[in-house]
Amino acid sequence: MNWPKVSVVTITYNQERYIEQAVTSVLQQQTSFPIQYLVADDCSTDGTAAILNRLELSHGDRMQLRLRASNVGIMRNLQDAYNSATGEYVALLEGDDYWTDPLKLQRQVELMDSRPECSLSFHPVTYVDESGKSLGQQHPPVVKQEWNLQDVLYNNPIQTCSVVFRRSMLPLIPEFILQLKLADWPLCIMATHQGVALCLDQVMANYRVHSQGVWTGAPTPRKQAAVARMYFELALATPELKEIASQALERHVELIAATAQTKLPAFWALRQSRPWQTLARLLKPARDPASDAGE
């Protein structure tokens, strides 16, 4: 059997305006190795599934389509698709973004093959609007080749549509991810803990900013709370990252407090929760954790 070198995972929900461009950008990849392409639709209520069915008729030998009978949510959909991947590497592309370079996967795989210590690779992306017009912003704004754990932990430089994971260093998406509002960042943290993150200097994807975007469409306070929860759950679920994730959480909390947004209900609910206080006891036995909840 011809095992895939790379598994590409696309998750989608109600993205009829964008999904064909995303899928086509994967099918246009030029590689010297076989690709497994998994497309998981989370029971869309618009025309997304019909578009995917049409694409499967033309490219069924190159894509594996999963149409869910009921909605399971973004995180469960991603977890199921990722955990079904069989490639040596796993690339992610959400249904509203798209790749712009047909050699993207070839370049990233060649780099990772040459650097066994590399746990993931990525590249800069351009931010575009709903129509694909550039917004004049690139992420990350500054490019360097090697990024360590602290780089990724404190200020994620990696957009989902650019990342390729070495599956041996991130074989499965763990259950605690299902509790979060964002998945790509903690996965990048976990992978970078296993090895170095390498960045190519070519822009090879577009990240679409639009009002229906799960992350870009969310208000800033909600994003701040989601990041705090991410650090919190990461510290609880991964003993090897407990100390550094907790330090990042404390730093993040201080930044929120400095901007006078600590009255956010979701934020206070997190700080006053029993798991938060339990974590405080584990990390700082000499400090009264009740003071953390009432500051």
Side-chain angles (χ1 to χ4, degrees):
M1 183 175 181
N2 195 16
W3 292 103
K5 180 78 169 179
V6 178
S7 295
V8 179
V9 172
T10 291
I11 60 169
T12 184
Y13 175 73
N14 285 355
Q15 293 172 330
E16 62 181 357
R17 294 181 58 186
Y18 314 122
I19 188 61
E20 184 163 1
Q21 188 173 24
V23 171
T24 300
S25 74
V26 176
L27 297 176
Q28 290 177 341
Q29 289 294 298
Q30 300 171 13
T31 64
S32 60
F33 45 78
I35 296 175
Q36 175 192 38
Y37 187 23
L38 301 170
V39 184
D41 175 70
D42 194 20
C43 195
S44 290
T45 58
D46 63 0
T48 300
I51 294 170
L52 291 173
N53 278 321
R54 173 171 55 80
L55 291 170
E56 187 184 34
L57 286 176
S58 302
H59 307 283
D61 59 331
R62 302 179 60 197
M63 59 186 290
Q64 300 174 27
L65 181 58
R66 299 183 175 199
L67 301 178
R68 296 196 178 277
S70 60
N71 184 271
V72 298
I74 295 173
M75 300 304 177
R76 180 69 72 182
N77 194 30
L78 173 62
Q79 183 193 49
D80 178 71
Y82 184 100
N83 291 359
S84 299
T86 59
E88 180 180 350
Y89 301 108
V90 181
L92 302 182
L93 177 66
E94 295 178 334
D96 52 354
D97 302 325
Y98 57 100
W99 295 342
T100 57
D101 191 323
L103 296 177
K104 167 193 155 66
L105 289 180
Q106 185 70 37
R107 292 192 177 110
Q108 288 182 261
V109 167
E110 288 178 355
L111 175 63
M112 297 179 75
D113 277 349
S114 70
R115 297 283 299 272
E117 78 280 15
C118 172
S119 59
L120 68 85
S121 69
F122 66 105
H123 53 78
V125 306
T126 299
Y127 282 34
V128 300
D129 65 11
E130 294 184 4
S131 65
K133 181 180 178 181
S134 174
L135 296 175
Q137 181 181 354
Q138 174 183 297
H139 188 81
V142 177
V143 176
K144 62 178 182 178
Q145 185 180 39
E146 295 194 12
W147 300 72
N148 61 30
L149 177 58
Q150 286 194 339
D151 292 331
V152 177
L153 184 74
Y154 289 118
N155 189 19
N156 186 21
I158 306 166
Q159 281 293 353
T160 309
C161 58
S162 74
V163 70
V164 175
F165 294 107
R166 189 183 300 273
R167 195 164 63 92
S168 63
M169 295 187 178
L170 189 69
L172 298 171
I173 292 182
E175 285 293 308
F176 83 88
I177 295 293
L178 302 180
Q179 309 300 319
L180 305 181
K181 299 296 184 182
L182 69 166
D184 55 339
W185 193 355
L187 295 180
C188 290
I189 292 170
M190 294 172 66
T192 309
H193 177 64
Q194 302 296 322
V196 67
L198 297 179
C199 182
L200 289 81
D201 59 6
Q202 298 101 328
V203 176
M204 296 188 286
N206 283 347
Y207 174 79
R208 201 183 305 268
V209 178
H210 57 97
S211 58
Q212 286 74 45
V214 174
W215 186 252
T216 57
T220 297
R222 189 173 299 172
K223 292 179 183 178
Q224 290 177 325
V227 172
R229 181 66 182 269
M230 182 267 292
Y231 286 136
F232 176 63
E233 296 292 347
L234 190 64
L236 286 180
T238 54
E240 66 274 17
L241 289 172
K242 182 177 71 174
E243 183 175 355
I244 192 169
S246 300
Q247 291 170 357
L249 174 58
E250 290 190 1
R251 177 177 179 268
H252 182 68
V253 168
E254 290 172 0
L255 290 174
I256 296 176
T259 57
Q261 297 193 47
T262 54
K263 294 182 180 180
L264 181 70
F267 171 74
W268 275 112
L270 174 64
R271 292 208 74 184
Q272 293 173 337
S273 68
R274 184 178 298 275
W276 178 291
Q277 296 181 32
T278 299
L279 180 62
R281 290 188 181 94
L282 290 173
L283 295 171
K284 295 187 175 181
R287 180 176 177 179
D288 180 10
S291 66
D292 285 336
E295 290 177 346

